[in-house]
Amino acid sequence: MPEMSEATLHDQRTAASVRLERVLIALAILALIAAPFFVYPIFLMKMLCFALFACAFNLLLGYTGLLSFGHATFYGAAAYFCAYAVKDWGWPPEAGILLGTAGAAVLGLVMGFLAIRRQGIYFSMITLALAQMFYFFCVQAPFTEGEDGIQGVPRGTLFGIVDLNVTLNMYFFVLAVFLIGVFAVWRIVNSPFGMILRSIRENENRAISLGYSVGRYKLAAFVMSAALAGLAGATKAIVFQFATLTDVTWQMSGEVILMTLLGGIGTMVGPVVGAGLVVGLENTLATSGFPVTIATGLIFMICVLVFRRGIVGEIYARWLSPAEGGRDQ
């Protein structure tokens, strides 16, 4: 009977978690559709790009257990590839975004192949070192235009039909890219492949003993995460019409880590909430004279002390705790 009770409790917690996540996602989508009529669309597009970036990073950290300090490489590289193709080669925006995503995936394959040979902090340090190498490459490479970056990138016309210079058209295109990216993460996580990634995160040695090629699964997750981060970076280049060195700095990698931890790792909605919080703070404090980094640092400290699971993770825990308490009693 105790085993049946524990199994039933686990099923109830899982079902409640799924229901809560679906409700939050539905409300978020409705809010995002209505948002540009009440909030500055450029701010919203920036938030969506960073939210997709954070979701891509969460696929690696939250569901695979790999902490990368170099994810800005994929975000920034895709922005450069897309901006150069659209501006200098005259490619349409959708082709530029696909090129940026593909380029980020190739970089992810190279970096992942080198990094997954180590575990823990050694893996993280290798990703940081490789990211710094790519940063210095971007400083010297002629096509990146150095510290000036690639500016004046035309938004163009989507599929030759939709004029992206119209702000609302651009917003709903970014929203569509964001939803496609998040759906891709959801589909990966809830597939048999995603179940194996979770087993690797929980107990890598047991996954190896079951016959799984852990290295290949880690590399596949790394490449997928890199490609989605590249999708966010390439879209950002079209939205803001430039790509600069800021996109490939280690600070950008730290910022996406902060977003994911604030929202809650291992949740679908958490990175989106974390990205909205950080971008909102930056936008609010930009003209106040108060240092943005100090404000985000203080909020991060508070969240670590009060919301150990992240904001969304804590909501999940508190939503589910009454049912658990009732069963225990």
Side-chain angles (χ1 to χ4, degrees):
M1 288 299 292
E3 291 184 1
M4 288 291 294
S5 177
E6 290 179 6
T8 303
L9 176 60
H10 180 269
D11 291 342
Q12 288 180 348
R13 287 172 60 86
T14 301
S17 178
V18 170
R19 287 196 301 270
L20 175 61
E21 197 161 80
R22 287 177 178 174
V23 169
L24 289 174
I25 291 173
L27 291 175
I29 292 174
L30 291 175
L32 288 172
I33 292 173
F37 301 102
F38 303 96
V39 184
Y40 188 44
I42 299 297
F43 163 75
L44 293 172
M45 287 188 277
K46 180 180 180 181
M47 185 197 71
L48 289 175
C49 290
F50 274 107
L52 179 56
F53 186 22
C55 288
F57 178 77
N58 186 49
L59 174 63
L60 192 65
L61 176 61
Y63 295 101
T64 315
L66 298 176
L67 175 59
S68 169
F69 286 156
H71 246 53
T73 296
F74 316 121
Y75 181 81
Y80 274 122
F81 296 153
C82 177
Y84 188 83
V86 171
K87 181 180 179 181
D88 291 291
W89 294 345
W91 285 22
E94 65 274 12
I97 290 174
L98 289 175
L99 175 67
T101 304
V106 171
L107 278 174
L109 180 63
V110 175
M111 286 183 60
F113 179 77
L114 297 172
I116 63 168
R117 298 172 183 270
R118 295 293 181 266
Q119 297 179 349
I121 191 63
Y122 302 105
F123 168 86
S124 302
M125 289 297 102
I126 290 173
T127 59
L128 177 60
L130 293 173
Q132 286 300 99
M133 289 175 61
F134 186 79
Y135 169 79
F136 288 115
F137 167 78
C138 291
V139 173
Q140 299 294 331
F143 82 94
T144 64
E145 301 185 23
E147 295 183 358
D148 293 332
I150 303 176
Q151 302 184 27
V153 179
R155 288 183 175 177
T157 305
L158 183 66
F159 302 119
I161 301 173
V162 182
D163 185 7
L164 295 183
N165 292 299
V166 178
T167 303
L168 278 180
N169 291 346
M170 186 74 242
Y171 172 79
F172 285 110
F173 170 65
V174 174
L175 178 59
V177 171
F178 167 76
L179 293 176
I180 290 171
V182 172
F183 175 77
V185 173
W186 178 85
R187 189 68 189 88
I188 292 168
V189 168
N190 290 280
S191 67
F193 175 81
M195 296 300 105
I196 296 172
L197 292 183
R198 295 189 190 192
S199 68
I200 293 172
R201 178 195 63 188
E202 296 299 330
N203 194 323
E204 183 173 335
N205 291 329
R206 179 171 293 180
I208 294 173
S209 69
L210 292 173
Y212 293 114
S213 180
V214 169
R216 291 183 180 179
Y217 281 98
K218 284 183 177 181
L219 181 58
F222 197 94
V223 173
M224 291 176 185
S225 179
L228 289 167
L231 178 62
T235 305
K236 170 260 172 192
I238 297 296
V239 171
F240 294 101
Q241 300 181 275
F242 62 79
T244 66
L245 290 174
T246 304
D247 299 329
V248 293
T249 58
W250 64 267
Q251 289 94 335
M252 182 65 72
S253 296
E255 195 165 340
V256 75
I257 293 172
L258 176 64
M259 292 174 183
T260 307
L261 292 177
L262 282 178
I265 63 173
T267 63
M268 290 297 299
V269 183
V272 180
V273 173
L277 179 61
V278 172
V279 174
L281 273 175
E282 291 177 350
N283 185 71
T284 303
L285 299 177
T287 57
S288 67
F290 190 84
V292 177
T293 53
I294 294 177
T296 53
L298 289 173
I299 289 178
F300 180 67
M301 289 174 58
I302 293 171
C303 287
V304 168
L305 294 173
V306 180
F307 307 107
R308 291 182 178 271
R309 303 175 183 86
I311 296 173
V312 175
E314 198 67 32
I315 291 174
Y316 282 1
R318 295 191 179 187
W319 177 279
L320 298 173
S321 58
E324 184 177 0
R327 295 292 302 180
D328 290 340
Q329 291 173 359

